[in-house]
Amino acid sequence: MPNTKMLAGHARLPNGMAVSDLHETLTVTIEVDHTYGVIVWADCTLATDHAQSYLGNLLKGFSLRDGIQLIEKEIENHYYGKAKPALLAAVRDAYKQYQTPHVVK
């Protein structure tokens, strides 16, 4: 059994985006090391493989034990697209999942 947990966060996408034709919400999944809270991988339902891979690489290595502020700043400073508010909201939602007692021990 792996020493990781899978977290999922969701947020509503703005109208007028290509991906919003397929999905009404943006989903961000985060695989996190259970012992240290470090993000091993992240993925999302953004429209292109490039954007999905970029997010994974951007978040990889951050520890959720340090809070969400550094991750939010990283997204703010490096992602420029209409989905930014939804991306931030979905990451915050996934972080809420991390904070639940059955995940953090």
Side-chain angles (χ1 to χ4, degrees), residues 25-39:
T25 59
L26 174 70
T27 299
V28 171
T29 56
I30 297 174
E31 183 180 356
V32 62
D33 175 83
H34 179 66
T35 304
Y36 302 105
V38 174
I39 296 173

Side-chain angles (χ1 to χ4, degrees), residues 11-27 44-48 51 79-87:
R12 183 169 292 286
L13 284 163
N15 291 330
M17 294 187 61
V19 73
S20 66
D21 292 339
L22 300 171
H23 310 283
E24 289 184 15
T25 59
L26 174 70
T27 299
C44 65
T45 56
L46 287 170
T48 66
Y79 180 84
Y80 295 91
K82 287 182 182 181
K84 185 187 282 189
L87 189 55

Side-chain angles (χ1 to χ4, degrees), residues 30 37 39 55 58-78 87-88 91-92 95:
I30 297 174
I39 296 173
L55 177 74
L58 189 66
L59 300 186
K60 192 175 182 181
F62 280 97
S63 175
L64 295 180
R65 287 188 173 185
D66 296 333
I68 193 73
Q69 295 81 12
L70 292 174
I71 294 169
E72 290 172 330
K73 185 177 273 191
E74 194 75 359
I75 293 168
E76 286 285 352
N77 290 334
H78 295 282
L87 189 55
L88 287 164
V91 168
R92 288 182 194 118
Y95 181 68

